[in-house]
Coordinates of all heavy atoms in Angstrom, one line a residue:
R177 N 3.4 6.2 5.9 CA 2.7 4.9 5.5 C 1.2 5.0 5.7 O 0.4 4.2 5.1 CB 3.3 3.7 6.3 CG 4.7 3.3 5.9 CD 4.6 2.7 4.6 NE 3.8 1.5 4.5 CZ 4.2 0.3 4.7 NH1 5.5 0.1 5.0 NH2 3.4 -0.7 4.7
I178 N 0.7 5.9 6.6 CA -0.7 5.9 7.0 C -1.5 6.9 6.3 O -2.6 6.7 5.9 CB -0.8 6.0 8.5 CG1 -0.1 4.8 9.2 CG2 -2.3 6.1 8.9 CD1 0.1 5.0 10.7
Y179 N -0.9 8.1 6.1 CA -1.6 9.2 5.5 C -1.3 9.6 4.1 O -0.1 9.5 3.7 CB -1.4 10.4 6.4 CG -1.8 10.2 7.9 CD1 -0.9 9.9 8.8 CD2 -3.2 10.3 8.2 CE1 -1.2 9.6 10.1 CE2 -3.5 10.0 9.6 CZ -2.6 9.7 10.5 OH -2.9 9.4 11.8
G180 N -2.3 9.9 3.3 CA -2.0 10.3 1.9 C -1.8 11.8 1.8 O -1.8 12.5 2.9
W181 N -1.5 12.3 0.6 CA -1.3 13.7 0.4 C -2.5 14.5 0.9 O -3.6 14.1 0.6 CB -1.1 14.0 -1.0 CG 0.1 13.4 -1.6 CD1 1.2 12.9 -0.9 CD2 0.3 13.0 -3.0 NE1 2.1 12.4 -1.7 CE2 1.6 12.4 -3.0 CE3 -0.4 13.2 -4.1 CZ2 2.1 11.9 -4.2 CZ3 0.2 12.7 -5.3 CH2 1.4 12.1 -5.3
G182 N -2.2 15.7 1.5 CA -3.3 16.6 1.8 C -4.1 16.2 3.0 O -5.1 16.9 3.4
E183 N -3.8 15.0 3.6 CA -4.5 14.6 4.8 C -4.0 15.4 5.9 O -2.8 15.4 6.1 CB -4.4 13.1 5.0 CG -5.5 12.3 4.2 CD -5.5 10.9 4.7 OE1 -6.1 10.5 5.7 OE2 -4.8 10.0 4.0
E184 N -4.9 15.9 6.7 CA -4.4 16.6 8.0 C -3.9 15.6 9.0 O -4.5 14.7 9.3 CB -5.7 17.3 8.5 CG -5.4 18.3 9.6 CD -5.1 19.7 9.0 OE1 -5.4 19.9 7.8 OE2 -4.5 20.5 9.7
V185 N -2.6 15.8 9.4 CA -2.0 15.0 10.4 C -1.6 15.8 11.6 O -0.7 16.6 11.5 CB -0.7 14.3 9.8 CG1 -0.2 13.2 10.8 CG2 -1.0 13.6 8.5
T186 N -2.3 15.6 12.7 CA -2.0 16.4 13.9 C -0.7 15.8 14.5 O -0.3 14.7 14.2 CB -3.1 16.2 15.0 OG1 -3.3 14.9 15.2 CG2 -4.4 16.9 14.5
S187 N 0.0 16.6 15.3 CA 1.4 16.3 15.7 C 1.3 15.0 16.6 O 2.3 14.3 16.7 CB 2.0 17.4 16.5 OG 1.2 17.8 17.6
N188 N 0.2 14.8 17.3 CA 0.1 13.6 18.2 C -0.7 12.5 17.6 O -1.1 11.5 18.3 CB -0.4 14.0 19.6 CG -1.9 14.4 19.5 OD1 -2.4 14.7 18.4 ND2 -2.5 14.4 20.6
A189 N -1.0 12.5 16.3 CA -1.9 11.5 15.7 C -1.3 10.1 15.9 O -2.1 9.2 16.2 CB -2.0 11.8 14.2
I190 N 0.0 9.9 15.7 CA 0.5 8.6 15.8 C 0.5 8.1 17.3 O 0.1 6.9 17.5 CB 2.0 8.6 15.4 CG1 2.1 8.9 13.9 CG2 2.7 7.2 15.6 CD1 1.6 7.9 12.9
D191 N 0.7 9.0 18.2 CA 0.6 8.6 19.6 C -0.8 8.2 20.0 O -1.0 7.2 20.7 CB 1.0 9.8 20.5 CG 2.3 10.4 20.2 OD1 2.4 11.2 19.2 OD2 3.3 10.0 20.7
V192 N -1.8 8.9 19.5 CA -3.2 8.6 19.8 C -3.5 7.2 19.2 O -4.1 6.3 19.9 CB -4.1 9.6 19.2 CG1 -5.6 9.2 19.3 CG2 -3.9 11.0 19.9
L193 N -3.0 7.0 18.0 CA -3.3 5.7 17.3 C -2.6 4.5 18.1 O -3.3 3.5 18.4 CB -2.7 5.8 15.9 CG -3.2 4.9 14.8 CD1 -4.7 5.1 14.7 CD2 -2.6 5.4 13.5
I194 N -1.4 4.7 18.5 CA -0.7 3.7 19.2 C -1.3 3.4 20.6 O -1.4 2.3 21.1 CB 0.8 4.0 19.3 CG1 1.4 3.8 17.9 CG2 1.5 3.1 20.3 CD1 2.8 4.1 17.7
H195 N -1.7 4.5 21.3 CA -2.4 4.4 22.6 C -3.6 3.5 22.4 O -3.8 2.5 23.2 CB -2.8 5.7 23.1 CG -3.4 5.7 24.4 ND1 -2.8 5.5 25.6 CD2 -4.7 5.9 24.8 CE1 -3.6 5.5 26.6 NE2 -4.8 5.8 26.1
G196 N -4.4 3.7 21.4 CA -5.6 2.9 21.2 C -5.3 1.4 20.9 O -5.9 0.5 21.3

Side-chain angles (χ1 to χ4, degrees):
R177 288 291 301 269
I178 298 169
Y179 301 97
W181 297 336
E183 274 190 85
E184 193 86 15
V185 187
T186 55
S187 60
N188 68 341
I190 297 291
D191 306 85
V192 171
L193 206 50
I194 287 176
H195 181 71

